[in-house]
Amino acid sequence: MSSENDDSDGSIVRLLDDNTANQIAAGEVVERPSSVVKELVENSLDAGATRIEVELFEGGKQKIVIRDNGAGMSRADAILALQRHATSKIRSADDLFSIHTLGFRGEALPSIASVSDFRILTKRPQDETGTELIVRSGDLAEVRDAAAPDGTQITVENLFFCVPARLKFLKTTQTELNHATDFLHRLILAYHTIGFRLTHDSHELISYPGSSDPRQALAAVYGRDVAREMVPLLYESPGLTIRGSVSKPSVSKATRSAQAFFVNGRHVRSRTVQHAFDAAFSRLMTTERHPVVALFVEIAPELVDVNVHPAKTEVRFTRDGEVYAAISRAVENALLTGGLVPEVTVQASLPELATPTTLAMPGMGERGSDRLAPPLRTSLSNYVIPPPPSPPGTLWVPTLGARVDGGGENERGSSGSPPPISSQDWEEGRAERREEGTPYIGFDGYKIGRLRVLGQSRNTYIVAETDDALLLIDQHIAHERVLYEQMMNGATESQSAWGVVTQHLAVPQTLELSASDARVVQERLGALEKSGFVLEHFGGDTFVVRAVPSRVADKAYLEILKEIIEELTYSSVARRLLVPHESAIIMASCKMAVKKGDPLTMDEMTRLLADLAQMRNPFTCPHGRPILLALSHHEMDRKFHRIGPH
Ligand code: ADP
Ligand code: MG
């Protein structure tokens, strides 16, 4: 034992005094002004407040005032609340597993009070008069009766004045303010019925009155234009509900800053939630941008561990996989049931109130359908793809068990080849349909219902109609989607007219490449093969092309192949990274898809849309561009003044 130890009994282990313990806890719970705001506002919410006001001065570094109209505290409770581990929210460790409040550790008030000049003014509705408590240097300095409105007002001044080390690390006023604003925005999303107000140096920054309509909260946080472009998320299973809103691809951000995830009303960071969301969204579109989302997981509290971090933003689930799957389904349901179809409409204000499911696709399809199963399959209820015609001539030998595409590519006459030999059935079917117009194609899994082709506009857009709307479909993007999904799933399974079908070349072609092209091709032979181009390394920078997609077989397929390779290399060099397999397939599908300006016959268009109807996501290209545009009959009639005062 060192002689410097002045304890008479020589013991060096001792209990910390309360104030020191509180200051240490403060290091965990309150690291900055915005964490004070967080703890105090959460207390107000736990106290049942319906209106919460936050006043900040100098980003909260100088002064923070939180005012609520909640339950208030009795004098005795207010004094007790300043004790460490004093909480009204749990009574024993067992309660920890079923927490329904935001706070429960009983650390916030004593921690904050230990590092600031701290004042509570509080009154319960049932009390005549309120109580004022003043804490200085961590000691309760004054307790007295005071006139006060119902509720609680807490004033925190000179935060960290006694902790110079921490004071030094405080960020700029703007940074602190941004944190506080972000936090309040998230609360508005999570507690849309509650009114929030934020002022900074007496300027009003947030004034949200509270509303029963969650869309008002979205509008307050993200702006009305964004809110209008958001579709509701909903997935329910026993013990687990996902709700919220996600933006259509028309609205996206470069960062994830406009994404908020909540578990049981508490904003959280969770790998499971973030990954599930990202994965679901990226299955729908490949894009570098991020959608706007407010997603709420409601789950039995005993299945969540929120106590991972004192600030309670990390969360773990007991049944991770279930949460993951539920989020995926919620996102896919929301976007695939119509959220991805932009509507042609002129709308001056937010749509009127409606329950979430009826908003999924306003003006189109059945309103209010609350079918929750994921629409992963579609059916071709009224349309049967005709049997394939036999391959033209002996030059081409279909391989990989796939059928030859006889989709009338040649009918355009651009290549000068003879028209495909069509089977008798197909001819008969065509004749029959001619009388009734084009056949209906079932998009049954989606809110579109069914559609049929009316014609082509500018050799670029397919004009179609559903029972509720007129549709414009971008032929290039639609075809790109069909090719992309089939390539991703493996071309050999292709059963559709517009998909990928590989044809062996009777005379293989050699392809001399530059060294860098050759390197990329060598690495991406698999992706090219899925696109229908079967290449073999011949040695050096030379490859042999053994098979090509039948769709381009009668065209300058080597040119198309070279274009694809060029783009693969360009993109790999630009990113200093080999293009990923999926990107390679996206590039190939773009190059191979029918172009804008290509005339299509009614049959070709019908077949293309029948293929599209089978896609997992028939609404956007892999980059997120929309495939369909809808003008609802209702909107059309309105514009022609068929609805209204006539
Ligand atoms: P916790 O929130 O974890 O219980 P706190 O230190 O934040 O711990 O608060 C301690 C107790 O003080 C709470 O349990 C609650 O009973 C009371 N309290 C704090 N803030 C308020 C408030 N704004 N209105 C009413 N009671 C409050
Ligand atoms: Mg608390």
Side-chain angles (χ1 to χ4, degrees):
M1 289 293 117
S2 144
S3 58
E4 282 143 47
N5 186 342
D6 55 8
D7 255 74
S8 49
D9 62 359
S11 157
I12 57 163
V13 177
R14 74 191 69 136
L15 276 170
L16 296 171
D17 66 73
D18 276 353
N19 200 31
T20 311
N22 286 334
Q23 287 190 14
I24 291 170
E28 287 186 340
V29 181
V30 285
E31 32 172 15
R32 57 199 316 165
S34 56
S35 29
V36 172
V37 173
K38 173 179 187 295
E39 291 295 333
L40 298 184
V41 171
E42 288 187 348
N43 280 346
S44 298
L45 286 168
D46 284 345
T50 58
R51 220 191 129 63
I52 300 171
E53 287 179 24
V54 179
E55 281 177 32
L56 300 181
F57 295 88
E58 252 185 75
K61 290 184 280 189
Q62 192 215 321
K63 186 174 171 184
I64 300 169
V65 183
I66 314 281
R67 205 172 291 118
D68 70 49
N69 63 353
M73 287 174 270
S74 69
R75 172 180 288 217
D77 278 348
I79 294 170
L80 205 57
L82 287 170
Q83 311 272 314
R84 203 155 138 70
H85 301 308
T87 177
S88 56
K89 298 167 196 174
I90 53 173
R91 302 208 175 271
S92 74
D94 288 347
D95 295 347
L96 268 176
F97 297 98
S98 55
I99 292 155
H100 291 278
T101 53
L102 291 165
F104 58 86
R105 298 167 63 98
E107 282 183 330
L109 292 191
S111 302
I112 297 164
S114 72
V115 290
S116 68
D117 289 326
F118 188 89
R119 207 154 67 92
I120 301 181
L121 181 62
T122 185
K123 177 177 138 11
R124 299 185 302 176
Q126 64 267 40
D127 293 338
E128 279 293 299
T129 168
T131 307
E132 181 171 46
L133 281 79
I134 296 175
V135 181
R136 282 195 207 96
S137 313
D139 293 324
L140 185 55
E142 277 178 53
V143 181
R144 59 172 173 240
D145 284 350
D150 291 349
T152 302
Q153 171 180 316
I154 292 183
T155 309
V156 177
E157 281 177 279
N158 305 320
L159 188 64
F160 300 131
F161 71 97
C162 57
V163 196
R166 192 159 282 269
L167 205 52
K168 217 166 57 194
F169 287 106
L170 281 189
K171 297 288 190 312
T172 63
T173 296
Q174 192 56 47
T175 307
E176 292 307 327
L177 192 56
N178 290 347
H179 278 283
T181 313
D182 285 349
F183 169 70
L184 285 177
H185 276 159
R186 292 193 294 261
L187 284 188
I188 290 173
L189 295 172
Y191 298 89
H192 58 85
T193 57
I194 292 175
F196 291 95
R197 183 164 182 265
L198 170 67
T199 64
H200 184 242
D201 295 341
S202 303
H203 297 294
E204 188 172 78
L205 296 184
I206 294 177
S207 174
Y208 175 70
S211 162
S212 57
D213 178 8
R215 293 175 67 86
Q216 296 300 338
L218 292 173
V221 173
Y222 297 125
R224 296 183 86 78
D225 289 345
V226 172
R228 206 176 291 131
E229 290 298 304
M230 294 181 81
V231 289
L233 290 168
L234 183 61
Y235 176 83
E236 285 172 307
S237 70
L240 177 62
T241 301
I242 311 291
R243 40 179 110 248
S245 302
V246 60
S247 65
K248 298 180 192 176
S250 50
V251 177
S252 64
K253 306 269 176 192
T255 68
R256 292 199 173 84
S257 59
Q259 303 194 337
F261 301 105
F262 304 82
V263 174
N264 293 344
R266 180 183 283 138
H267 175 252
V268 295
R269 280 175 228 297
S270 153
R271 280 165 181 276
T272 307
V273 174
Q274 182 77 55
H275 282 184
F277 179 79
D278 285 353
F281 206 81
S282 68
R283 276 198 299 279
L284 299 176
M285 64 203 61
T286 313
T287 160
E288 309 269 286
R289 297 182 61 86
H290 303 281
V292 176
V293 63
L295 186 149
F296 301 90
V297 180
E298 283 154 32
I299 186 171
E302 52 274 18
L303 299 180
V304 195
D305 178 10
V306 286
N307 202 13
V308 180
H309 185 270
K312 299 179 292 263
T313 51
E314 280 294 335
V315 57
R316 287 195 195 130
F317 300 101
T318 321
R319 301 207 303 250
D320 237 18
E322 246 170 77
V323 176
Y324 192 97
I327 291 171
S328 302
R329 286 187 163 203
V331 174
E332 285 178 359
N333 281 348
L335 294 177
L336 290 184
T337 50
L340 295 179
V341 183
E343 233 198 313
V344 184
T345 172
V346 185
Q347 218 158 22
S349 57
L350 275 173
E352 71 285 5
L353 279 185
T355 57
T357 42
T358 64
L359 284 168
M361 195 161 166
M364 271 194 70
E366 303 158 40
R367 281 171 167 269
S369 153
D370 45 14
R371 195 177 50 77
L372 288 169
L376 297 181
R377 292 292 315 152
T378 59
S379 68
L380 292 166
S381 56
N382 298 310
Y383 183 64
V384 181
I385 300 181
S390 46
T394 51
L395 252 181
W396 312 108
V397 183
T399 59
L400 304 170
R403 41 174 289 235
V404 173
D405 166 34
E409 179 80 23
N410 302 328
E411 282 175 349
R412 274 177 249 149
S414 53
S415 62
S417 319
I421 308 145
S422 298
S423 73
Q424 196 58 35
D425 291 356
W426 174 231
E427 285 304 326
E428 274 168 19
R430 197 202 311 253
E432 206 178 285
R433 278 190 298 274
R434 206 173 282 133
E435 283 162 21
E436 339 163 325
T438 49
Y440 276 99
I441 301 161
F443 270 75
D444 300 345
Y446 307 98
K447 288 207 172 149
I448 285 183
R450 52 182 204 156
L451 63 76
R452 102 197 155 87
V453 174
L454 298 179
Q456 192 187 24
S457 165
R458 292 157 61 199
N459 290 339
T460 299
Y461 301 109
I462 299 170
V463 185
E465 69 178 355
T466 68
D467 292 341
D468 309 284
L470 189 72
L471 300 181
L472 287 178
I473 297 135
D474 185 309
Q475 65 193 36
H476 171 71
I477 303 181
H479 191 201
E480 214 179 6
R481 163 56 65 178
V482 169
L483 291 169
Y484 165 78
E485 283 201 21
Q486 297 199 344
M487 289 178 195
M488 288 301 282
N489 296 336
T492 51
E493 320 252 298
S494 168
Q495 283 301 310
S496 60
W498 287 77
V500 186
V501 181
T502 303
Q503 286 193 359
H504 263 291
L505 294 178
V507 183
Q509 307 276 327
T510 52
L511 195 63
E512 306 268 354
L513 297 175
S514 70
S516 53
D517 282 351
R519 218 172 20 247
V520 174
V521 166
Q522 182 73 52
E523 291 291 339
R524 284 288 166 256
L525 281 177
L528 287 170
E529 185 160 337
K530 291 210 161 164
S531 321
F533 289 101
V534 180
L535 272 66
E536 226 170 74
H537 193 202
F538 190 69
D541 298 335
T542 306
F543 289 80
V544 179
V545 184
R546 297 229 173 262
V548 299
S550 63
R551 178 155 292 281
V552 300
D554 60 347
K555 295 188 186 159
Y557 52 80
L558 279 185
E559 289 314 306
I560 295 176
L561 176 58
K562 280 180 194 159
E563 270 180 42
I564 296 173
I565 292 171
E566 197 176 300
E567 187 158 342
L568 291 180
T569 307
Y570 175 80
S571 184
S572 298
V573 170
R575 293 181 189 205
R576 297 157 186 259
L577 200 76
L578 183 71
V579 283
H581 174 80
E582 188 184 7
S583 310
I585 279 179
I586 292 174
M587 287 172 199
S589 60
C590 179
K591 290 276 179 287
M592 284 161 56
V594 61
K595 298 282 175 301
K596 80 179 229 204
D598 285 351
L600 299 178
T601 65
M602 295 294 266
D603 288 329
E604 285 175 313
M605 291 187 278
T606 300
R607 285 158 156 248
L608 174 56
L609 295 189
D611 280 359
L612 185 66
Q614 293 190 321
M615 296 300 117
R616 183 183 171 86
N617 170 9
F619 299 122
T620 60
C621 86
H623 299 286
R625 278 182 301 168
I627 291 173
L628 297 98
L629 222 68
L631 172 62
S632 73
H633 289 167
H634 180 82
E635 188 68 17
M636 203 187 297
D637 292 346
R638 220 168 57 96
K639 283 279 163 314
F640 283 115
H641 302 279
R642 289 193 174 278
I643 298 176
H646 280 284

